[in-house]
Amino acid sequence: MKSLGVRAGLLSVLLFVAFCAAWQIAVTPSASSGPALDPEYAKLMGISTAGAKSAMPGPLDVAGKLWDNLKRPFYDNGPNDKGLGLQLLYSIGRVFIGYGLAVLVAVPVGFLIGMSPLAYRALDPFIQVLKPISPLAWMPLALYTIKDSSLSAIFVIFICSVWPMLINTAFGVGAVRKEWLNVARTLEVGPWRRAFTVILPAAAPTILTGMRISIGIAWLVIVAAEMLVGGTGIGYFVWNEWNNLSIANVIVGILLIGFVGMVLDLILARFQKRVTFPE
């Protein structure tokens, strides 16, 4: 198993190096290809296309921009000039608040639906209608009613995080083996104790699966929401750098979005592994 992990790591490094090499070759203009800079881009920048290089930065350019951002990640020079670390903190904070509120709602309601056929039949039509709605479709209504862009983004995170957790919790609770519940009833275990000592441990892996799905969706949506409402956050950083025509910083933002999303998923995956036991 350790040998497999080493080989997989080496293959990942090899693929990364190959990708960076292909990327660098693709953005390096040849002598016979003429000017590689897009004329419209050059016109916006007010520069000549004669002898210019590609408008798309190479991996070394992106690495340089990343290093520049990491040297001063938390500076604050005003509304439109904040460090990348500060922007990430704004986004992560919004995600944690909206996601935490979703956990407080989705898990208890999911328990109720999973344990009560009556609640399932009563609530299922509402879930099926609300679940397919794009989270960003709620943004205009949230901005109109809440009248605060940051709180509106948190509401959107909440609404997009609820459904995967709720559905997986209900499924996990409903799939608990009847034999275990019958044994608990035979031992005269009360409903509350039965929920915490029998149902919750058995349904925990499924609940954590829903939480992993939700955190991925939440991190995906916050970027789009911040692009719409502006102000602060990694989504706003990417959009602002695009308006500044800094493609290297856009790519830096994209890479950090992917990295943070991976870390959040790995954290929940570790929790899921701790509550999963072989039968």
Side-chain angles (χ1 to χ4, degrees):
M1 185 63 69
K2 185 178 293 186
S3 174
L4 178 62
V6 172
R7 285 185 291 159
L10 290 175
L11 180 58
S12 295
V13 172
L14 181 62
L15 290 173
F16 177 74
V17 172
F19 171 77
C20 289
W23 179 6
Q24 185 63 51
I25 292 171
V27 300
T28 303
S30 61
S32 58
S33 62
L37 189 64
D38 181 73
E40 293 296 327
Y41 178 84
K43 186 177 179 181
L44 287 171
M45 296 296 291
I47 57 179
S48 171
T49 58
K53 63 177 184 179
S54 172
M56 177 61 70
L60 296 178
D61 300 320
V62 173
K65 283 290 185 181
L66 176 61
W67 177 244
D68 290 339
N69 283 290
L70 292 179
K71 285 192 296 185
R72 295 178 62 230
F74 301 109
Y75 73 87
D76 187 350
N77 292 336
N80 294 321
D81 190 12
K82 299 181 187 295
L84 188 54
L86 202 59
Q87 302 284 29
L88 278 172
L89 288 179
Y90 278 113
S91 297
I92 293 172
R94 291 179 184 128
V95 167
F96 278 1
I97 295 172
Y99 182 80
L101 292 173
V103 171
L104 294 177
V105 172
V107 174
V109 175
F111 254 85
L112 176 64
I113 294 173
M115 297 178 68
S116 171
L118 175 62
Y120 171 78
R121 288 180 176 271
L123 295 176
D124 185 62
F126 297 98
I127 295 172
Q128 297 307 321
V129 169
L130 295 173
K131 178 168 63 72
I133 299 174
S134 169
L136 294 181
W138 294 97
M139 182 59 78
L141 186 61
L143 288 170
Y144 178 76
T145 54
I146 301 174
K147 295 180 173 58
D148 184 276
S149 59
S150 184
L151 293 178
S152 298
I154 291 171
F155 170 77
V156 170
I157 293 304
F158 167 81
I159 205 71
C160 78
S161 302
V162 161
W163 310 119
M165 277 189 284
L166 191 152
I167 293 170
N168 275 268
T169 300
F171 176 78
V173 171
V176 174
R177 289 187 176 183
K178 302 302 180 185
E179 295 88 350
W180 298 347
L181 298 176
N182 291 335
V183 169
R185 292 191 185 96
T186 302
L187 296 174
E188 297 183 352
V189 177
W192 285 102
R193 187 180 176 191
R194 186 164 64 243
F196 284 101
T197 60
V198 178
I199 298 175
L200 180 59
T206 308
I207 296 173
L208 264 295
T209 298
M211 293 177 71
R212 287 182 67 184
I213 296 171
S214 289
I215 197 66
I217 295 173
W219 187 243
L220 182 80
V221 169
I222 190 60
V223 174
E226 289 170 346
M227 286 183 176
L228 287 177
V229 301
T232 55
I234 188 64
Y236 173 71
F237 172 84
V238 170
W239 190 250
N240 191 49
E241 293 304 317
W242 160 247
N243 289 331
N244 294 332
L245 298 177
S246 178
I247 306 301
N249 270 335
V250 170
I251 297 174
V252 167
I254 290 171
L255 292 176
L256 286 178
I257 289 168
F259 177 76
V260 172
M262 180 188 70
V263 170
L264 294 175
D265 183 75
L266 287 175
I267 292 172
L268 286 174
R270 182 63 60 89
F271 280 112
Q272 184 181 19
K273 188 176 181 180
R274 292 177 70 89
V275 300
T276 303
F277 302 97
E279 297 182 9

